[in-house]
């Protein structure tokens, strides 16, 4: 295990453009339940999952009803503001600060990467603290809109201050397409990177799952010496994909990742940062 952490630290130091993909496993150590694990939100309440499949349809059919529903019940994720980033989040922020990790693409909506100090975050499935315009994709801090007050005054749904379009929660609901700007930027990052760190996600939910698979397909031309002493052009993978997960995943089994560092991200990432600093010193 220590060898693999050392190897990852070396790969990071040698990388030109590293990015990180993160998922629910990253935040469980902060006390946020995942969705499909043994004590996941959907596992414990399958009816809530069925209802969640209707949410986006409700928004499209009747945005006012959608907002009434959202403002009448408790949040599925509990009180996110009281939850704190864990050492894994801080370690990724440090890797950005060191100039190594250029972008974090996260499936989490909890805003913990931003709170730990990471600046360049793509919220692939949206951000629980933001609202998004269904028409122009502009995001707003939800605190800018006094939603309970709008509800009292019969002014729902909230409207975009840029274009007047209808606002929804920034969170991407079931059956809702990934916002086009984030989807496009994420593809570009996956296409550009030469190192991908996958933290706390089995990457089985599409289209997020395409990102490591797309990166894996990329090849670079490589010169190699043949028996005759000549150089021939061959192809080799353009990306090193390192997985940090509690258990092997389809990425491990399908050979998408180069190697798996098995454990908790909150423990492994800080160790990796420490090893990296040792190499750079
Ligand atoms: Zn707008």
């Amino acid at each position: 295990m220590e060898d693999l952490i050392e190897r990852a630290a070396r790969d990071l130091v040698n990388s030109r453009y590293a990015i990180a993909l993160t998922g629910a496993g990253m935040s469980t150590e902060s006390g946020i339940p995942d969705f499909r694990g043994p004590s996941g939100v959907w596992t414990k309440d399958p009816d809530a999952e069925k209802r969640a499949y209707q949410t986006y349809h409700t928004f499209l059919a009747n945005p006012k009803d959608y907002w009434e529903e959202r403002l009448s019940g408790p949040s599925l994720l509990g009180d996110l503001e009281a939850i704190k980033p864990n050492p894994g989040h801080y370690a990724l922020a440090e890797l950005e600060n060191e100039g190594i990790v250029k972008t974090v693409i996260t499936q989490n909506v909890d805003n913990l990467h931003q709170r730990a100090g990471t600046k360049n975050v793509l919220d692939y499935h949206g951000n629980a603290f933001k609202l998004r315009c269904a028409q122009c994709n502009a995001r707003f801090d939800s605190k800018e809109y006094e939603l309970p007050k709008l509800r009292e005054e019969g002014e729902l749904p909230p409207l975009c201050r840029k274009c007047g379009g209808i606002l929804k929660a920034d969170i991407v609901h079931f059956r809702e397409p990934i916002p086009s700007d984030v989807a496009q930027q994420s593809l570009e990052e996956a296409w550009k990177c030469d190192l991908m760190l996958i933290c706390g996600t089995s990457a089985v939910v599409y289209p997020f799952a395409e990102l490591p698979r797309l990166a894996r397909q990329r090849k670079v031309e490589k010169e190699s010496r043949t028996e005759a002493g000549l150089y021939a052009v061959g192809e080799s993978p353009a990306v090193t994909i390192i997985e940090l997960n509690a258990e092997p995943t389809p990425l491990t089994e399908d050979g998408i990742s180069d190697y798996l560092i098995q454990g908790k991200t909150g423990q492994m990432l800080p160790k990796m940062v420490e090893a990296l600093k040792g190499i750079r010193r």
Side-chain angles (χ1 to χ4, degrees), residues 9-64:
R10 260 174 220 294
D11 284 341
L12 280 164
V13 167
N14 292 331
S15 71
R16 176 185 48 76
Y17 196 99
I19 67 170
L21 265 54
T22 72
M26 190 83 210
S27 292
T28 43
E29 286 160 81
S30 288
I32 296 178
D34 60 19
F35 284 91
R36 299 184 196 283
S39 55
V41 174
W42 302 143
T43 316
K44 288 203 292 195
D45 189 353
D47 281 345
E49 182 176 9
K50 276 181 211 152
R51 287 197 303 278
Y53 271 98
Q54 296 306 317
T55 307
Y56 187 54
H57 177 75
T58 306
F59 173 76
L60 294 177
N62 190 333
K64 187 174 189 293

Side-chain angles (χ1 to χ4, degrees), residues 54-153:
Q54 296 306 317
T55 307
Y56 187 54
H57 177 75
T58 306
F59 173 76
L60 294 177
N62 190 333
K64 187 174 189 293
D65 284 358
Y66 163 89
W67 276 109
E68 289 287 349
E69 266 176 41
R70 288 196 79 74
L71 297 172
S72 62
S75 158
L76 275 179
L77 294 168
D79 188 7
L80 277 178
E81 276 186 78
I83 282 164
K84 293 189 172 64
N86 65 58
H89 294 106
Y90 289 109
L92 275 185
E94 213 170 337
L95 286 175
E96 182 187 64
N97 206 31
E98 293 278 326
I100 291 176
V101 166
K102 310 291 196 251
T103 306
V104 172
I105 306 174
T106 186
Q107 293 170 284
N108 302 335
V109 299
D110 52 36
N111 206 39
L112 290 178
H113 287 300
Q114 289 91 333
R115 282 174 58 198
T118 299
K119 291 180 190 75
N120 202 12
V121 181
L122 291 173
D123 290 310
Y124 201 79
H125 290 157
N127 185 307
F129 294 88
K130 290 181 185 166
L131 306 178
R132 169 164 43 90
C133 175
Q135 196 161 296
C136 77
N137 272 347
R139 269 71 162 191
F140 302 92
D141 191 326
S142 55
K143 282 184 181 153
E144 287 179 42
Y145 284 81
E146 294 174 87
L147 295 168
K149 195 174 159 220
L150 291 182
R151 186 185 182 206
E152 270 171 38
E153 294 169 354

Side-chain angles (χ1 to χ4, degrees), residues 132-138 140 159-167:
R132 169 164 43 90
C133 175
Q135 196 161 296
C136 77
N137 272 347
F140 302 92
L159 300 177
C160 174
R161 286 180 184 152
K162 286 194 176 151
C163 78
I166 295 171
L167 295 182

